[in-house]
Amino acid sequence: MIKPRLRQQLAELTAIPSIACTMPEQDMSNVPVIETLANWFESAGFGCEIMPVAPGKANLIAVRAGTDPQARGGLVLAGHSDTVPFDQNLWHNDPFKMTERDGKLYGLGMADMKGFFALILDAVANYAKTPFRAPLIVIATCDEETSMAGARALMEQSKGQGRFVLIGEPTNLKPARLHKGVMLERVVITGKSGHSSDPELGRNAIDAMHEVVNRLQQFRTSLKKIQQPLFPVPYPTLNLGCIHGGDNPNRICGLCELQFDVRPLPGMEIENIRADIRHLLKGIEQQFGVSMLYEPATAGSGAAETPANSPFVQKIEGLLGETAGAVSFGTEAPYFRAQNMDTVILGPGNIEQAHQPDEYLEIKNISPMLLLLNQLIHYYCVQGHAKI
Ligand SMILES: [Zn+2]
């Protein structure tokens, strides 16, 4: 059973689009979601700051102070307010209309991860009349799915700081203390268009891109040799994400763009990987008579690791009776780690449903997540174990 208010807020969050996309025509503002959350958290007794990051993009920092307003530290519950784009014709229901089927709540952002904020509101409602010794800080960022601009801005301005951070990304309730980085990259090949009846009239950008894809696939194979056994996918991955080129079957393709991602393990430097790829793509321009641009589509985000002996990791492991592991996807943890906060990644969704048609949150995961949030708020904020 989900309380009607929680169900209503989950549905409202799903209904407000906040798609972040590296293709500017699909990129949307997240401000309507942030304003909605700010209203809800203000009603729950939080002081809210909406922090502008870029035009149409903002973070929310909501703070419920402890009894000692000078005390630093506190528990941070963090997540991103944006979602990825979706394939309209592959969804079986409107992605913006939360739909319940077979014990699951379907909707874009249910698992990854707007739904998390509704769960936090449900948990804090239990403490409406209970004073906190240490602050509870809720952070909702923008552009996690693209540039991590929201988390980067928080770090640069030293905002939203606490001692311990729970990031509610979809882990199916399993705690994780380390994860890979993520780099979003693009290759643009400019050839020369012409009539297809004579290949000599042009320089085919798709032919050249085919060679780029071949070499990236070889690189992907070589990445598999680097292993970190704590990860379910124990090697760095490379995904060919989207490709656009040409306009007509009877024209030589003059322009082709490929975007891909790479997810490095902790210890791998993004700049070194870029240098490897740059080296790998050498010679294609000359071979095909085209010009090629290889560049990051976004700045990328490093891998992160919180030590196994962190008190936050150990507290959560104790509550769950489970050892914290690793996840294969990138999160905003490196930006919190850079500010000396311990991070654990744990959320009620499942990464297998994230970035997929028919994304859903299993109703049976909601109660255990609420229990954990209540336990953490009680221990760190009410009892003050996150005070420094
Ligand atoms: Zn996410």
Side-chain angles (χ1 to χ4, degrees):
M1 268 303 289
I2 320 168
K3 281 181 235 162
R5 183 162 172 272
L6 172 56
R7 181 183 291 269
Q8 176 60 28
Q9 289 184 329
L10 284 168
E12 278 187 52
L13 289 173
T14 310
I16 308 170
S18 55
I19 291 168
C21 186
T22 52
M23 301 280 175
E25 61 276 14
Q26 287 191 61
D27 191 47
M28 297 172 72
S29 172
N30 76 321
V31 172
V33 169
I34 291 294
E35 286 176 343
T36 299
L37 289 172
N39 283 335
W40 291 346
F41 279 101
E42 263 167 27
S43 302
F46 285 66
C48 291
E49 177 189 349
I50 294 177
M51 173 188 175
V53 174
K57 305 283 188 173
N59 293 331
L60 171 69
I61 306 161
V63 181
R64 216 193 110 180
T67 42
D68 175 4
Q70 301 305 315
R72 293 180 302 119
L75 174 67
V76 180
L77 302 173
H80 60 88
S81 63
D82 56 323
T83 73
V84 288
F86 62 95
D87 298 310
Q88 181 84 66
N89 42 15
L90 297 180
W91 275 74
H92 290 89
N93 59 277
D94 180 346
F96 300 110
K97 189 168 186 301
M98 190 177 81
T99 307
E100 182 176 345
R101 279 197 309 274
D102 307 324
K104 295 162 186 148
L105 297 171
Y106 289 86
L108 184 64
M110 268 289 121
D112 185 20
M113 59 164 287
K114 286 190 275 188
F116 181 58
F117 298 108
L119 270 63
I120 297 171
L121 283 155
D122 185 281
V124 294
N126 297 325
Y127 299 93
K129 297 198 168 64
T130 312
F132 285 173
R133 285 192 173 150
L136 176 62
I137 301 148
V138 176
I139 291 177
T141 60
C142 62
D143 285 348
E144 189 272 345
E145 298 288 5
T146 52
S147 61
M148 303 252 176
R152 188 171 289 117
L154 281 173
M155 182 187 69
E156 284 165 0
Q157 298 183 31
S158 301
K159 286 196 172 175
Q161 287 177 326
R163 187 168 174 204
F164 302 124
V165 190
L166 183 79
I167 301 176
E169 291 276 12
T171 67
N172 204 18
L173 302 171
K174 303 237 177 295
R177 62 176 179 83
L178 67 163
H179 72 64
K180 297 177 180 181
V182 60
M183 310 159 53
L184 305 175
E185 311 286 289
R186 69 187 196 120
V187 175
V188 181
I189 293 193
T190 307
K192 185 169 172 288
S193 56
H195 198 283
S196 63
S197 58
D198 181 358
E200 294 306 317
L201 291 176
R203 302 275 183 230
N204 196 312
I206 292 179
D207 282 341
M209 191 61 87
H210 178 245
E211 179 62 18
V212 171
V213 167
N214 274 340
R215 294 190 190 183
L216 287 175
Q217 286 170 330
Q218 285 165 19
F219 182 61
R220 178 166 68 191
T221 304
S222 72
L223 287 175
K224 282 198 173 187
K225 290 181 199 131
I226 311 164
Q227 299 263 332
Q228 157 55 273
L230 273 178
F231 285 96
V233 179
Y235 49 85
T237 57
L238 184 156
N239 177 59
L240 303 168
C242 61
I243 190 163
H244 301 274
D247 46 30
N248 224 36
N250 60 6
R251 262 163 58 82
I252 295 166
C253 173
L255 186 69
C256 187
E257 175 168 348
L258 168 74
Q259 295 195 358
F260 61 96
D261 79 353
V262 179
R263 290 167 187 264
L265 293 170
M268 294 173 73
E269 292 299 326
I270 284 179
E271 280 316 313
N272 294 343
I273 298 166
R274 288 213 173 106
D276 288 348
I277 293 173
R278 209 165 278 124
H279 182 73
L280 176 93
L281 298 179
K282 275 199 175 133
I284 294 177
E285 284 179 308
Q286 294 82 342
Q287 188 183 342
F288 291 88
V290 297
S291 66
M292 180 170 64
L293 171 76
Y294 163 54
E295 63 176 11
T298 70
S301 172
E305 184 166 3
T306 294
N309 65 2
S310 147
F312 190 52
V313 169
Q314 293 184 344
K315 177 69 186 169
I316 289 178
E317 287 179 337
L319 288 170
L320 298 172
E322 206 167 342
T323 306
V327 286
S328 302
F329 52 91
T331 76
E332 297 172 324
Y335 301 97
F336 294 110
R337 293 290 300 134
Q339 299 180 86
N340 290 321
M341 293 184 254
D342 289 9
T343 58
V344 169
I345 304 142
L346 186 152
N350 190 328
I351 195 64
E352 283 167 26
Q353 278 90 51
H355 302 202
Q356 293 289 332
D358 293 339
E359 176 181 343
Y360 64 78
L361 178 61
E362 282 203 81
I363 292 175
K364 72 174 170 57
N365 278 5
I366 291 179
S367 293
M369 188 71 214
L370 291 175
L371 174 64
L372 180 73
L373 288 172
N374 276 286
Q375 289 168 324
L376 294 177
I377 292 167
H378 183 78
Y379 184 75
Y380 288 114
C381 303
V382 177
Q383 297 188 328
H385 292 283
K387 228 167 119 176
I388 45 177

